[in-house]
Amino acid sequence: MIFLQQQGLSLVEIGLCESVFHLTSFLSEVPSGVIADRFGYRPVLIISRLMAIGHALIMLTAHSLGWFLLAFILQAWAYNLQSGTIEAAQYGSLVNTQATQHYPRVTTILNTTIEVADTLGVVLAGWLMPQHLSVTYWVYLAAALIAILAISGLRVPQRQLTKTHSAQPSLRTILRAATHLLVTQRRLRLLMIFDALFSALGTTYYYYFQTVMTAQHFSGRLITTILIASIALNIVAIQLTPWLQRHQTQHQLLYGLCLSMIMALLSAFSHAIGLLVLIYLVINSLMALIEPLFSNYYNQLIPNGQRATLLERCQHGL
């Protein structure tokens, strides 16, 4: 918002840009997954980063609302083409080498990297505000270029390499097969519903706590301390995921997550600030924990041919 205001956009125009981003993302979720399953993970991931580069270049050079709207459309496509496809490519590569038992560790490393990168991004943006925010888009552009180099060396699952163009299933066939799997796999449906409801409750408390910090006039130092503690606990929770999967059944883990969330939310009726901060840290840790946990559950249930398509639905709810 600060960067766009610096470029001369009003709050209404900024809101329009955000609306275009979310609408484009909503409409592109499933189609982007179908495209990845049809044409392969590597080209789709490369295209997603090219979209990101286009977004960064427009944000650095544009001075009119129309161009900024196009930048947000490209950003949505960059996000959609990547979302779900990364996990599908990772799991597919492990299937190809018969090493799927290592996926919990792989997804743990992925989510830990995301947590650390998010933290570094927030710190960097704080240093650059308000005069040098354009640097963030140069960093974004450079990261996209590095990602393309990394993706170019991606080991594509053998199934995608050996099939000829004529032998590849059509987009309609992939979508129909994915829909059929979703209809017939009761366990997958229940996991998706649990994931969506759990994430919705956690996100609701996250935004509620923002109002608490504002109403209680938390100092910048206190907010920073809470954020650092939250990131540290999130990383610990993510690292615990493989151990929990080895020592707990799926039902035990889901019941434990559900009970922990209910107890945390019931405790939130207290007006004790210290307790509300503790609940915030606990709920954030639970939210971090379910990412690698459910990624593993989903990949075990979804076959290669529909993995990117259904992971899009799983990651964005039903």
Side-chain angles (χ1 to χ4, degrees):
M1 284 186 62
I2 297 173
F3 178 81
L4 290 174
Q5 284 181 304
Q6 290 176 350
Q7 306 310 305
L9 269 63
S10 66
L11 291 177
V12 173
E13 291 173 328
I14 294 172
L16 180 60
C17 289
E18 288 286 344
S19 299
V20 166
F21 169 81
H22 289 292
L23 179 60
T24 304
S25 179
F26 175 76
L27 295 175
S28 304
E29 284 174 4
V30 175
S32 62
V34 176
I35 290 171
D37 282 326
R38 172 62 178 84
F39 296 105
Y41 305 142
R42 182 162 55 192
V44 169
L45 287 174
I46 290 176
I47 292 172
S48 78
R49 294 306 86 203
L50 291 175
M51 295 286 184
I53 291 172
H55 166 77
L57 290 174
I58 293 176
M59 294 296 286
L60 287 167
T61 58
H63 296 286
S64 65
L65 177 62
W67 280 105
F68 283 119
L69 290 174
L70 176 60
F72 274 78
I73 290 174
L74 292 178
Q75 186 185 33
W77 284 341
Y79 169 72
N80 285 124
L81 290 170
Q82 169 188 293
S83 176
T85 306
I86 288 179
E87 288 82 358
Q90 287 177 328
Y91 196 86
S93 296
L94 293 174
V95 169
N96 190 44
T97 57
Q98 298 181 339
T100 54
Q101 72 274 14
H102 298 303
Y103 185 72
R105 184 58 185 165
V106 171
T107 190
T108 295
I109 294 172
L110 170 66
N111 283 275
T112 300
T113 304
I114 290 171
E115 289 289 342
V116 173
D118 277 346
T119 305
L120 293 176
V122 171
V123 172
L124 177 60
W127 286 342
L128 295 172
M129 284 195 297
Q131 292 87 2
H132 306 291
L133 283 177
S134 61
V135 175
T136 61
Y137 286 99
W138 285 109
V139 173
Y140 184 59
L141 195 155
L145 290 172
I146 294 171
I148 289 176
L149 294 176
I151 295 164
S152 299
L154 179 68
R155 294 181 62 183
V156 181
Q158 195 65 28
R159 178 181 176 274
Q160 292 190 17
L161 286 173
T162 56
K163 282 199 170 186
T164 63
H165 179 77
S166 60
Q168 289 278 10
S170 66
L171 297 177
R172 178 181 295 182
T173 300
I174 293 172
L175 188 57
R176 288 179 61 182
T179 303
H180 176 74
L181 181 68
L182 189 60
V183 170
T184 56
Q185 273 274 16
R186 180 174 178 270
R187 184 181 174 191
L188 178 60
R189 291 200 311 274
L190 292 176
L191 284 172
M192 290 173 67
I193 293 170
F194 183 97
D195 190 4
L197 292 175
F198 194 91
S199 298
L201 289 172
T203 303
T204 300
Y205 186 83
Y206 173 83
Y207 284 109
Y208 164 73
F209 189 72
Q210 310 307 305
T211 65
V212 171
M213 290 194 293
T214 302
Q216 297 296 323
H217 306 291
F218 280 22
S219 66
R221 180 176 296 180
L222 178 58
I223 292 173
T224 301
T225 302
I226 293 172
L227 289 176
I228 292 174
S230 176
I231 294 298
L233 290 174
N234 288 356
I235 292 174
V236 171
I238 292 169
Q239 294 296 320
L240 282 174
T241 304
W243 183 88
L244 289 172
Q245 288 183 266
R246 288 195 303 269
H247 293 84
Q248 299 284 320
T249 66
Q250 186 179 101
H251 282 91
Q252 288 173 329
L253 280 173
L254 294 181
Y255 283 134
L257 285 169
C258 188
L259 182 61
S260 299
M261 178 64 78
I262 290 172
M263 291 178 63
L265 291 176
L266 288 176
S267 302
F269 285 101
S270 168
H271 295 292
I273 300 302
L275 181 59
L276 292 178
V277 172
L278 179 61
I279 294 169
Y280 170 79
L281 296 175
V282 170
I283 291 180
N284 261 20
S285 298
L286 293 175
M287 295 283 285
L289 190 150
I290 68 169
E291 289 292 331
L293 185 66
F294 275 79
S295 179
N296 186 48
Y297 289 160
Y298 292 144
N299 277 290
Q300 289 175 353
L301 293 173
I302 302 171
N304 276 347
Q306 298 91 45
R307 185 160 287 128
T309 303
L310 283 174
L311 283 178
E312 286 282 352
R313 298 190 188 189
C314 292
Q315 292 186 352
H316 299 91
L318 290 170

